[in-house]
Structure formats: C-alpha cells, structure tokens
Amino acid sequence: MKDENKRHKILQAAIKVFSEKGFYNSRVSEIAKEANVADGTIYLYFRNKDDILISLFEEEFGKIVKNMRAALEKDPDPLKKIRRFAMTHLSIVSKQQELGEVMGVEVRQSSKFMKEYINKPFIEYLNIIRSVVIEGQEKGLIRKDLTPGIMKRAFFGALDEMARYWVLSTQKKHSIDDAALQISDVFIRGMMSEEARENYPWPP
Amino acid sequence: MKDENKRHKILQAAIKVFSEKGFYNSRVSEIAKEANVADGTIYLYFRNKDDILISLFEEEFGKIVKNMRAALEKDPDPLKKIRRFAMTHLSIVSKQQELGEVMGVEVRQSSKFMKEYINKPFIEYLNIIRSVVIEGQEKGLIRKDLTPGIMKRAFFGALDEMARYWVLSTQKKHSIDDAALQISDVFIRGMMSEEARENYPWPP
Amino acid sequence: MKDENKRHKILQAAIKVFSEKGFYNSRVSEIAKEANVADGTIYLYFRNKDDILISLFEEEFGKIVKNMRAALEKDPDPLKKIRRFAMTHLSIVSKQQELGEVMGVEVRQSSKFMKEYINKPFIEYLNIIRSVVIEGQEKGLIRKDLTPGIMKRAFFGALDEMARYWVLSTQKKHSIDDAALQISDVFIRGMMSEEARENYPWPP
Amino acid sequence: MKDENKRHKILQAAIKVFSEKGFYNSRVSEIAKEANVADGTIYLYFRNKDDILISLFEEEFGKIVKNMRAALEKDPDPLKKIRRFAMTHLSIVSKQQELGEVMGVEVRQSSKFMKEYINKPFIEYLNIIRSVVIEGQEKGLIRKDLTPGIMKRAFFGALDEMARYWVLSTQKKHSIDDAALQISDVFIRGMMSEEARENYPWPP
DNA sequence: CATGAATGAGCTTTCATTCAT
DNA sequence: AATGAATGAAAGCTCATTCAT
C-alpha cells in the first residue's frame, strides 16, 4: 500500500458517486470505475463500503474543521466570527458541492452504528460555534440566557438546510453569500445582548 | 372500510420500522410483520417500497401541514406565529418521535427521483413559514431586506436540526420547549424591524 | 415453508453435486439447478452452504446409524455382528455411492468448526462397533487385552478405506462383498480369544 | 542452493498452514507470510496453489516411502514387517503431526483431477504393504485366500483412521504405540495361515 | 382480498494470479 | 530473482417482488 495518492483518488471518486446517487444507491464498482481502479483495489485501502463513507467524513470533515478554525482566528470579535462562520461554511459547500452534498445528505442516513463514527468530527465542527457563542457571552456581547448547545445546533441547522437547498436546486435562486449574510445577521441580532446593541451597533 | 384501515396499519408499521432502521436498512418483510399482514399484501396497497415512503410523506406530512395551519390561525400576530410554529413543530416531533425521525432522517436520503415526490408536502410546510414572514414584512414587523425564501429554510433548518438531535439523543439534555422558545426568540429578535422594536417590544 | 419435500430435493441434489465435485468445488447455484429450484430457495431451507452439508450428515447419517442398529439386532453372536457390520456398511456405500462418497470424502475436509457438528453422528456410528467389541469381550469371545476404542477405529478405517477405493475407482477390481468378508474375517480371527478359537471355531 | 532452499521453505510453510486450516481454507498469502516470502515468489516455484499440494505429496510422501522401505529391510520376517510398518507409520505421523494431518485430511478432498497426481506416491506406499502380504503368502505365513490388494487397503485404513483420530484429538486417550501394536497384532493373527499358527506362534 | 413460498437479479467481497518495478 | 500492489472473475447471499393457491 505504497500509494497514498490512490487512496485519495478513491475517496474523491466516492464523493462524486455518493453525491450523485446517495450512499445506498451507489455501487462499489461505480466508485472503482470512477477512480480508474479495479474493484478489488478498493479493498486494499478500505475495509468495506461503510469504511469508505466513514473515512470520507473523518478525513474530509477533519480538513474542514481545521480550515474553519483557521478562518475564524482572523476575527477577534465573536459576532464577526459568527458571520464569518456562515460565509465560510456556505463557501465550502458551494466550492465543494459534491462533498457538501454527501455531508448534508448522507450524514443522516447511515445506520445508527455508523452515525457514531461520523458524529465525532461533526460534533467537533458544531462545537466551534458553541465556543464562539460562549466567548460572546463572556465578553457580554451575547445574552446569557441563551444555551450555547442549543444555539450551535440552531445556527448550524439554519446554514445546513440552506446549503442543502442550494446544492440540490438546479437553478440557484438566492446567492449563497446573500443567504450567509442574512442568516448570520439574524442570528447575531437575535442573540445580541441589550448592552451590546447600544455600545456596539450591528452591522459594524 | 376494511381496506383503508389495513393501508393505515401498514403505514404505521412503516413509520416504526423506518424510524428504527432507516429506509434502506428496513425490509419490506419487517413492515409486513409489524403490520401483521403477509408480505404480498403490502403490494395490494403500495406499488413498491419507495411508494410506501412517498405515501407516508404525502399523507402524514399532509396532516401535519393542516394541523400547523390550524395552530397558527389562533394568533393574529406574525411574530407570535413564529414562536408558535417552533413550539408546535417541536411538539409534533416529540409526540410522534418515530414519525419525526423518519421525516428528519429520511427526507434527505432517498434517490433524487424520490425527492421530488417527497418535496411537495415538505415545501408546502416550509411555505407556511414563508407566509408568516411575508405577513410580518407587510405589517412592518419584519425587516424588508430579509428574503422570505431564505428565512423559511433557515428557521426550519434550525428547528429541524434541534429536533433531530433531540430525537436521536438518548439522554435529552435540553428541554424541547426551552429549545423552541430560544430558537424562535432569536429569530424573532433577529428579523424584527427597527420600528417594531420600539413600538412593539419583544418579548410581549 | 410448507414443503418438506423440497428440503429433501435440495439435500438429494447436494449429495449428487458434492459427490461429483467436492464441497468446496460445488456451487450453490449448481445444487439449485440440480434440485430445480431457484438459488434463493435454498436459503429458505438452509442457513448457508455449510448448513447444507451439516444437515446432510445429521439426517442421512442418522438414518444409516438406525439401519445399522436394526441390521445387527438380527444376530445375537458378536462375532457374526462384526461380519454383518462389514457387509452392511459396504452395501450401504455401494448402494448409495454418492452419499458414500460425500461421507468418506467430505467428512474430513471441512473446517474444524464444522467437524464438531459432523462428528456427532459419526461417533455414534463408530460406537456401534465399540459396543459389539465390548459385548464380545464380556462373552469371552474377544481378547480382553484389546482396547475397544482402538478396535472401533481400526475396523471402521479398514472398511472405510476400502469403500473409498471402491467408490472412487472406475473399474471395480474387487467385489465389494468379498472385501467385506475378508476384512471382517481378518478382524474376527485377529480379535478372537484363545478359548473361543477352540470352542467356537471360525468361520462358523 | 538458494533456490532449492526457498522452495523447501515454502513447502514447509504450506504444510503448517494446510494442516491448520485445510487446503481450501488456506490462503496463498498466508503460506507466503509463513515462509517469509512475497506472494509473487510462490509462483516462481509453483505453478499454482494446487501445485503446492501436489508437490507436497510427491516430495514428502516420497521421503516417507523411502524411509518406510529402509525400516522394513531390517526385518526378514513378513509378520514382523507388518508390525514394524504399523509402528513406523504411526511414529511418522506422531513426529510430523502437521504433515500427517495434511496427508490424512487433504489426500481425499481435492478435485478428482488432483487425486490422480496425489495418488501415485500414495499407491506406492500402499504397495509396500501389498508386497509384505505377498511375501508372507509365498512363505506360507499368510493365508492364500486373502487378496493382497484388499489387505493393503484394510491395514492402511485401520492405521490411518487411528492416526487421524490421534492427530485431531486434543487429549490423546490411547498411546499411539499401543494402538500400533494392537492393530498390527489383530491383522497378523487374522491373516496368519493355520500352519504358521502352529509352527510359528505369535507373538514371537 | 390475502397469503407467503418462490424467484433471480444484483450486490459486496474475496483471493489466486499477474506484472511493473 | 524477488516483490507486493493491482487485478477482476467469480461466489455466496439478500430481499423486493410475483403469483399460484
């Protein structure tokens, strides 16, 4: 198993095939064909079909988590971080549509057993939002009566549903950036503390 | 009618089985067993396995849409309608956990062909939110720079992600009502127009 | 699973196919074809391919054990029982050549796990010989310094090797009855006690 | 010779692996691993997997035949030769358990095509017994009404079944030497001519 | 209308064998 | 000569669907 490159080729092929047909309607042989390898070769790099999806999440989602963290470091302001999260998230999805499709569509489908595996990086991703919310609360910018654990899911859910729509719809009605701005704007205003609203008006 | 009753029994069985194992990991024979009918009987009422899921959505979702419309009519105030939507949505999900699970988990998984069928009642459901947002904008309560089509998805997505978490998690950390209140509160404050904020303070 | 007859048909087909190609070189689809059923039908009656072989042994060998016991009851004399065992054994094998082939050839090949299952009726069969030897010893006809557990295997092995040769060879050099007589004769004379040799001359 | 040495290493590995799992449940890659060579290397020394087993028999069985012949030469007396055959056979099996296991278990399993190859040295081995029987008959020690071809199979079968039991059973009930003595003793007494019994009493 | 045994297409996965290095 | 990654044919098994009863 010299060829780390081949593993990557298979994962890329899997993203494409899964995004087109969904996990359960995808055939291992289609992935092999798309990756220009023999069916058997897949099994040199992955234990089984499930393992392809799991690896996809662990590795690709891992990268995304890393990139997101890097993107947010630029902004010291938690409120701006929220906006940036939205922009970055939807930009990732729009740039890697197929990956986005697999993420958004497939995360929820697999058997509950698989969900455990998949959830790890996913929860990590969600917790980026949670950290920002907590940071905002500590700095007095976000209302303390809001539960960070609820906010992280609400915000992610809002973006994710939007992304799914955008990715699946053939004619893109709304600009994806516009959606990111509107959604983050609503969340920021909605979560802002009273003091912040006076001293630190939004939009900046 | 004996007929209609058996069809219903099958659909109820399908909800249970799909919610436990997911569509692709459910066997037609399991649904038959759960419904206390023979495998073949299923095919007297449904064209095929896909048709069971499609019918599930059309019929069960249809009821939900109807109930939601009825629930919102009680409130003339668009902002309160938003809160009520959240409360009702999460209450439906928590009361009919299995159906909620199927809705949340399965809507997104099936082949794109099926999605079209499933989408119809789903879009209708989303458009309830859209109408409320438009109504709010017309009454000057909601900012006019927000796109109703984006808001409907963002709000639904926020609630849905929360519902999914709540439904799948074994130990329910957050009260589902609390989540509904916080999420709707953030959206209402976030979407409110400047004038409304002065004349019509939130929470009421 | 109404049709007990169909199960039997499959087992008969399996005997034929296994005897021709050996267990590992037999295809489930070949058995299905030979039995005039669909591939899937096999799995309504048997858990898997292994289960076919296991069932074959449990059921067919069971019958043989029963028949052998019945055959031996006719003779009160242990020495004559030994001869009859040989005659009956080789006659079973020669009449049901294919079954004999599967028995002789396949018993020893399967994984050690399977062997346990298969061994049960086999040991039972061997123990028929053991009982006869013990009976002979009690009656003073067979030397007491011979271990019944060794004799049972030696005698069975002698017959079995002969049967295997006879079954596999295309041109049958030796008459199978002649072989049965010679082998049992050698064992009887060889195991006889000194007193028996005087009072109870062999052949009778 | 480096070459011949590697070939030998592979055969030794094959004996080990085949004896543990059986031919069909053994993987070529396992043999390669056990022999510390690459998978592909095996195919420099053997045509295919079947060829490994065939070579095993031809070469290892060949040695055994040679050793057995040498062992028997020490005894001029055919009856003693029979006893020595039993002792030597079971001692070989007990000393080279793994090889014995492969011999006993695998000889009979492979496809009929393979059997032809395997049978050659096997028949040769059997014919050692045959020669002894004939020699015994010529010297008037063994009854002339016994067919040497039947006796060779019966005697070998008796020993082989014992060996198989001894090799496969984890707790060895019977001493292997004791078994060899008892079995050969029964055969010798059983085959002895009347005159020999008087002039040449057994045991010597 | 209802049944459930039977079907067989089609899937994932394995593994003996090859061949570029 | 030696390697071991790559191959792809082939097999066991599943399960949606049918249809004789």
Side-chain angles (χ1 to χ4, degrees):
Chain A
M1 287 181 219
K2 232 195 308 236
D3 213 339
E4 189 50 39
N5 179 41
K6 190 155 287 183
R7 186 189 160 84
H8 189 246
K9 237 170 67 184
I10 294 170
L11 280 179
Q12 292 307 310
I15 291 174
K16 186 160 183 201
V17 175
F18 287 164
S19 82
E20 269 164 18
K21 314 222 181 182
F23 179 76
Y24 283 102
N25 289 310
S26 296
R27 306 295 142 229
V28 172
S29 62
E30 291 175 298
I31 298 172
K33 204 176 194 181
E34 182 70 36
N36 273 320
V37 293
D39 291 20
T41 304
I42 302 237
Y43 291 86
L44 295 176
Y45 295 93
F46 302 93
R47 252 189 313 283
N48 51 38
K49 195 184 163 189
D50 282 10
D51 191 38
I52 303 176
L53 187 56
I54 291 171
S55 303
L56 210 58
F57 277 92
E58 285 185 345
E59 291 166 39
E60 299 299 318
F61 225 135
K63 281 187 212 157
I64 289 176
V65 169
K66 219 170 124 188
N67 289 342
M68 180 62 85
R69 285 218 172 98
L72 296 194
E73 263 171 22
K74 294 174 194 161
D75 273 311
D77 178 350
L79 297 186
K80 284 188 187 159
K81 273 182 185 169
I82 284 171
R83 189 170 63 184
R84 189 176 288 273
F85 187 101
M87 302 292 289
T88 310
H89 180 82
L90 292 184
S91 125
I92 290 167
V93 171
S94 69
K95 268 179 206 144
Q96 307 184 50
Q97 273 209 46
E98 283 166 348
L99 179 59
E101 214 162 329
V102 178
M103 298 288 173
V105 179
E106 306 302 327
V107 193
R108 292 152 177 107
Q109 95 178 223
S110 13
S111 69
K112 280 183 184 165
F113 170 74
M114 274 185 64
K115 239 165 252 159
E116 281 181 45
Y117 282 90
I118 288 175
N119 264 340
K120 280 180 202 166
F122 176 63
I123 299 266
E124 238 190 304
Y125 192 63
L126 284 186
N127 281 340
I128 298 178
I129 307 175
R130 191 168 170 275
S131 308
V132 176
V133 171
I134 290 175
E135 193 192 337
Q137 289 177 324
E138 283 166 354
K139 294 195 175 162
L141 297 171
I142 290 180
R143 286 188 282 141
K144 300 218 166 57
D145 58 315
L146 296 174
T147 314
I150 293 176
M151 289 302 112
K152 79 177 178 192
R153 289 189 181 275
F155 187 51
F156 173 79
L159 293 174
D160 186 48
E161 182 65 37
M162 198 64 223
R164 182 161 33 252
Y165 161 72
W166 193 82
V167 149
L168 293 182
S169 70
T170 38
Q171 5 100 1
K172 326 277 182 188
K173 264 193 216 160
H174 315 292
S175 130
I176 190 81
D177 280 348
D178 193 27
L181 281 175
Q182 287 192 31
I183 293 172
S184 54
D185 183 75
V186 165
F187 267 86
I188 290 163
R189 288 184 199 242
M191 295 195 297
M192 240 179 176
S193 66
E194 214 50 55
E195 330 129 49
R197 195 181 300 283
E198 280 156 30
N199 309 327
Y200 182 9
W202 186 266
Chain B
M1 224 157 298
K2 205 191 205 173
D3 217 29
E4 207 36 58
N5 179 39
K6 191 158 284 184
R7 185 189 161 85
H8 185 71
K9 241 169 62 184
I10 295 169
L11 282 179
Q12 292 307 309
I15 290 174
K16 187 160 182 202
V17 176
F18 287 163
S19 82
E20 270 164 16
K21 316 222 179 179
F23 180 75
Y24 284 102
N25 289 311
S26 297
R27 307 292 146 232
V28 171
S29 61
E30 289 176 295
I31 298 173
K33 203 178 196 179
E34 182 71 36
N36 276 319
V37 294
D39 292 19
T41 305
I42 300 229
Y43 290 85
L44 297 174
Y45 295 92
F46 302 92
R47 255 191 313 283
N48 51 37
K49 193 185 166 189
D50 282 9
D51 191 37
I52 303 176
L53 187 57
I54 292 171
S55 304
L56 209 59
F57 277 92
E58 285 183 346
E59 292 168 38
E60 298 300 317
F61 226 139
K63 282 187 211 157
I64 288 176
V65 169
K66 221 170 121 187
N67 289 342
M68 181 59 88
R69 286 218 173 97
L72 296 194
E73 263 172 22
K74 295 174 193 161
D75 273 312
D77 178 348
L79 297 186
K80 285 186 186 157
K81 273 182 183 166
I82 283 171
R83 188 171 63 183
R84 189 176 288 274
F85 188 100
M87 303 292 287
T88 310
H89 180 82
L90 291 184
S91 127
I92 290 168
V93 171
S94 70
K95 269 179 204 142
Q96 308 183 48
Q97 272 208 47
E98 284 167 349
L99 180 59
E101 218 162 326
V102 178
M103 297 289 173
V105 179
E106 306 301 328
V107 195
R108 290 145 178 117
Q109 99 178 219
S110 6
S111 69
K112 280 183 184 167
F113 170 73
M114 276 186 63
K115 239 164 252 158
E116 281 181 44
Y117 283 91
I118 287 174
N119 266 339
K120 280 181 203 166
F122 176 62
I123 299 267
E124 236 189 306
Y125 191 65
L126 284 187
N127 281 340
I128 298 178
I129 307 174
R130 192 170 169 272
S131 308
V132 176
V133 172
I134 291 176
E135 194 192 337
Q137 289 177 323
E138 282 166 356
K139 295 196 174 160
L141 297 170
I142 290 179
R143 284 187 284 141
K144 301 221 165 56
D145 58 316
L146 297 174
T147 314
I150 291 176
M151 289 302 113
K152 78 177 179 194
R153 289 188 181 274
F155 188 52
F156 173 80
L159 292 174
D160 186 48
E161 182 65 38
M162 199 62 223
R164 180 163 33 254
Y165 161 71
W166 193 82
V167 150
L168 292 182
S169 71
T170 38
Q171 8 100 359
K172 325 277 182 187
K173 265 194 214 157
H174 314 293
S175 130
I176 190 82
D177 279 348
D178 192 28
L181 279 175
Q182 286 193 32
I183 294 171
S184 54
D185 183 76
V186 165
F187 268 86
I188 290 163
R189 287 184 200 242
M191 295 195 297
M192 240 180 175
S193 66
E194 214 50 56
E195 328 128 49
R197 193 182 303 280
E198 280 157 29
N199 309 328
Y200 183 8
W202 187 264
Chain C
M1 288 179 219
K2 238 195 299 241
D3 214 338
E4 190 48 40
N5 179 42
K6 189 154 287 184
R7 185 190 161 85
H8 189 245
K9 239 169 65 184
I10 294 169
L11 280 179
Q12 292 308 309
I15 290 174
K16 186 160 184 203
V17 176
F18 287 163
S19 82
E20 270 164 19
K21 314 221 180 183
F23 180 75
Y24 283 103
N25 290 310
S26 297
R27 306 293 142 229
V28 171
S29 61
E30 289 175 299
I31 298 173
K33 206 177 194 178
E34 182 70 36
N36 274 319
V37 293
D39 291 20
T41 305
I42 303 239
Y43 292 87
L44 295 176
Y45 296 91
F46 302 93
R47 253 190 312 284
N48 50 39
K49 195 184 164 191
D50 282 9
D51 190 37
I52 302 176
L53 187 56
I54 290 171
S55 304
L56 210 57
F57 277 91
E58 286 185 344
E59 291 167 39
E60 299 300 317
F61 224 139
K63 281 186 211 158
I64 289 176
V65 170
K66 220 172 122 187
N67 290 342
M68 180 60 84
R69 286 218 171 97
L72 295 194
E73 265 172 21
K74 295 174 195 160
D75 273 312
D77 178 349
L79 298 186
K80 284 188 188 158
K81 273 183 185 166
I82 285 172
R83 189 172 61 183
R84 191 178 286 274
F85 188 100
M87 302 294 287
T88 310
H89 180 82
L90 292 184
S91 127
I92 290 168
V93 171
S94 70
K95 269 180 206 142
Q96 308 183 48
Q97 272 208 48
E98 283 166 349
L99 180 59
E101 214 163 329
V102 177
M103 297 289 173
V105 179
E106 306 303 326
V107 193
R108 291 151 176 108
Q109 96 177 222
S110 11
S111 68
K112 280 183 184 164
F113 169 74
M114 275 184 63
K115 236 164 255 161
E116 281 182 44
Y117 283 91
I118 288 174
N119 264 340
K120 280 179 202 166
F122 176 62
I123 299 266
E124 236 188 306
Y125 191 65
L126 284 187
N127 280 341
I128 297 178
I129 307 174
R130 193 170 168 272
S131 310
V132 175
V133 172
I134 291 174
E135 194 192 337
Q137 289 178 323
E138 284 166 355
K139 294 196 175 163
L141 297 171
I142 290 180
R143 284 188 284 142
K144 300 220 167 55
D145 59 315
L146 297 174
T147 313
I150 293 177
M151 289 303 114
K152 79 176 179 193
R153 288 188 183 275
F155 188 50
F156 173 80
L159 293 174
D160 187 48
E161 182 64 36
M162 199 63 222
R164 180 162 35 251
Y165 161 71
W166 193 82
V167 149
L168 293 180
S169 71
T170 39
Q171 5 100 3
K172 325 277 181 188
K173 265 193 215 159
H174 314 294
S175 129
I176 191 82
D177 279 348
D178 193 27
L181 280 174
Q182 287 194 33
I183 293 171
S184 54
D185 183 75
V186 165
F187 267 86
I188 289 162
R189 289 185 199 241
M191 294 194 298
M192 241 179 175
S193 66
E194 214 51 54
E195 333 128 47
R197 196 181 302 281
E198 281 156 31
N199 309 327
Y200 181 7
W202 187 265
Chain D
M1 226 157 296
K2 204 192 205 173
D3 218 27
E4 209 33 60
N5 178 40
K6 192 159 284 185
R7 184 189 161 86
H8 184 71
K9 242 170 64 185
I10 294 170
L11 281 179
Q12 291 307 310
I15 289 174
K16 185 161 186 199
V17 175
F18 288 163
S19 82
E20 270 165 17
K21 315 221 181 181
F23 180 74
Y24 283 103
N25 290 311
S26 297
R27 307 292 145 230
V28 171
S29 62
E30 289 176 295
I31 299 173
K33 205 178 194 178
E34 182 69 36
N36 276 319
V37 294
D39 293 19
T41 305
I42 300 227
Y43 291 85
L44 296 174
Y45 296 92
F46 302 92
R47 253 190 316 283
N48 51 37
K49 194 184 165 189
D50 283 9
D51 190 36
I52 302 175
L53 187 56
I54 291 170
S55 304
L56 209 57
F57 277 90
E58 286 184 344
E59 292 167 38
E60 299 299 318
F61 226 139
K63 282 186 210 156
I64 289 175
V65 169
K66 220 171 120 188
N67 290 341
M68 181 61 85
R69 286 217 172 98
L72 296 194
E73 264 171 22
K74 295 173 193 158
D75 273 312
D77 177 349
L79 297 185
K80 285 188 186 157
K81 273 183 184 166
I82 283 171
R83 188 172 62 183
R84 191 177 288 274
F85 187 100
M87 302 293 286
T88 311
H89 180 82
L90 292 184
S91 125
I92 290 168
V93 170
S94 69
K95 268 180 206 143
Q96 308 183 48
Q97 272 209 45
E98 285 166 350
L99 179 59
E101 216 161 327
V102 177
M103 297 289 172
V105 179
E106 307 300 328
V107 194
R108 292 148 177 114
Q109 96 177 221
S110 8
S111 68
K112 281 183 183 165
F113 169 75
M114 275 183 65
K115 237 162 254 160
E116 282 180 44
Y117 284 91
I118 287 175
N119 265 339
K120 280 180 204 166
F122 176 64
I123 299 267
E124 237 188 305
Y125 191 65
L126 284 186
N127 281 340
I128 297 178
I129 308 173
R130 192 171 169 271
S131 309
V132 176
V133 172
I134 290 174
E135 193 191 338
Q137 289 177 325
E138 283 166 353
K139 296 195 173 161
L141 298 169
I142 290 179
R143 285 188 283 142
K144 299 220 167 54
D145 58 316
L146 297 173
T147 314
I150 292 176
M151 289 303 112
K152 79 176 179 193
R153 291 190 181 273
F155 188 51
F156 173 79
L159 293 175
D160 187 47
E161 181 65 38
M162 198 63 223
R164 181 163 31 255
Y165 161 72
W166 193 82
V167 150
L168 292 182
S169 71
T170 39
Q171 6 102 359
K172 324 276 182 189
K173 263 193 217 160
H174 314 293
S175 129
I176 191 81
D177 280 347
D178 193 27
L181 280 175
Q182 288 193 31
I183 293 171
S184 55
D185 183 75
V186 166
F187 267 85
I188 290 163
R189 289 185 199 241
M191 294 193 298
M192 242 179 174
S193 65
E194 215 49 55
E195 330 127 50
R197 195 182 301 281
E198 282 156 28
N199 308 327
Y200 181 8
W202 187 263

